[in-house]
């Protein structure tokens, strides 16, 4: 069993770390809000540290799941960052959704320290983390991925090595671009069905078995119809992710007109107070027909 430092015990990181603890690994956790780390240790065992460096100093593997580029930079390369405490030959796995630029930067920084790095953003939301069924898209060297795969399999149902450093992050951007388009189409279809005074259950039965079927349709059609939007991945986070994709598109020369439009639609949801609602709340910006 490995000695692991887990940095970031939030909605996603907490359950992932718990799976590792149940699998018998020796965990030291760090969280910016220390009370969360203390609560996690009280429930799952292990130890908590007062800084990323303290958590990482004896760890063979360091895993992070934090908020954004600045957070990731601080916990890795900051004054009390993990990289300064890790030993040569150690493994660093990052599950944060961040820019491809910082993923590539960390890989270069770690190479000089003989640390293996995998950028490994996840899909599957809070439920996927809790159930150990996440999908993970990975960037990094073949050697780094080989070292990380078995550990990640403890909390993932699908793990794919996409390419070199940063490839995991750009693949996560593909994921969010696709979800944005699907949710806008689903929102419009639902409102159209309501305006047509159709039985929504029968509409779902009719179209979910054909080419229109999607995970979002199967899991959110009924809840969207009932204005229920408390299912984990928030609009605020989706806007962050779409912002990363739009920024990367300016770098690689691609065009994302639909993603850019849906990003603005999510801005409307935020302005109406729905920033913490889940992404299916996109439908809320389309008024229900009064006909």
């Amino acid at each position: 069993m490995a000695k692991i430092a887990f940095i970031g015990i939030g909605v996603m990181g907490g359950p992932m770390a718990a799976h590792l603890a149940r699998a018998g690994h020796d965990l030291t956790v760090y969280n910016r809000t220390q009370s969360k780390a203390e609560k996690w240790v009280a429930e799952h065992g292990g130890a908590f540290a007062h800084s990323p460096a303290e958590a990482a100093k004896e760890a063979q593997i360091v895993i992070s799941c934090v908020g954004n580029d600045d957070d990731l930079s601080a916990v890795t390369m900051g004054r009390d960052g993990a990289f300064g405490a890790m030993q040569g030959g150690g493994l660093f796995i990052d599950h944060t959704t961040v820019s491809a630029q910082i993923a590539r930067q960390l890989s270069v920084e770690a190479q000089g320290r003989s640390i293996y790095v995998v950028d490994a953003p996840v899909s599957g939301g809070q439920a996927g983390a809790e159930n150990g069924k996440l999908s993970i898209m990975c960037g990094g060297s073949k050697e780094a991925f080989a070292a990380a795969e078995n550990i990640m399999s403890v909390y993932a149902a699908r793990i794919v090595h996409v390419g070199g450093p940063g490839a995991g992050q750009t693949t996560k951007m593909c994921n969010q671009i696709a979800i944005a388009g699907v949710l806008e189409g689903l929102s419009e279809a639902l409102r159209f069905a309501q305006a047509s005074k159709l039985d929504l259950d029968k509409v779902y039965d009719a179209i979910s078995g054909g080419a229109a079927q999607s995970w979002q349709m199967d899991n959110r059609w009924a809840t969207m119809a009932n204005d229920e939007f408390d299912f984990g991945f928030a609009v605020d986070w989706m806007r962050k992710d779409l912002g990363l994709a739009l920024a990367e598109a300016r770098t690689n020369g691609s065009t994302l007109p639909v993603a850019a439009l849906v990003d603005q639609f999510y801005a409307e949801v935020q302005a109406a107070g729905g920033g913490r609602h889940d992404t299916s709340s996109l439908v809320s910006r389309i008024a229900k027909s009064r006909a």
Side-chain angles (χ1 to χ4, degrees), residues 73-174:
S73 179
V75 302
T76 53
M77 299 180 291
R79 183 179 60 182
D80 294 317
F83 277 13
M86 291 180 70
Q87 301 298 312
L91 171 65
F92 178 77
I93 304 169
D94 177 46
H95 291 306
T96 316
T97 296
V98 290
S99 69
Q101 179 180 356
I102 193 170
R104 292 187 285 262
Q105 179 184 351
L106 288 180
S107 180
V108 171
E109 179 72 19
Q111 189 174 11
R113 301 171 183 265
S114 299
I115 298 170
Y116 293 106
V117 171
V118 178
D119 55 282
V122 303
S123 180
Q126 183 176 350
E130 292 173 349
N131 296 324
K133 300 295 183 182
L134 292 168
S135 292
I136 306 180
M137 46 222 85
C138 302
S141 69
K142 292 180 180 179
E143 294 79 9
F145 176 74
E149 186 174 15
N150 283 343
I151 286 294
M152 294 187 294
S153 68
V154 173
Y155 43 80
R158 176 176 296 186
I159 305 169
V160 180
H161 184 210
V162 183
Q169 294 298 342
T170 50
T171 301
K172 178 62 181 286
M173 294 172 199
C174 294

Side-chain angles (χ1 to χ4, degrees), residues 233-251:
F233 192 75
V235 167
D236 290 342
W237 301 339
M238 185 59 152
R239 287 215 69 207
K240 182 204 79 169
D241 291 0
L242 289 175
L244 292 171
L246 292 167
E248 186 70 14
R250 289 190 287 271
T251 299

Side-chain angles (χ1 to χ4, degrees), residues 3 5 28 49 51-60 62 81-82 84-87:
K3 187 169 181 58
T28 298
S51 71
E54 181 183 334
K57 65 181 179 181
E58 296 180 0
Q60 300 160 289
V62 178
M86 291 180 70
Q87 301 298 312

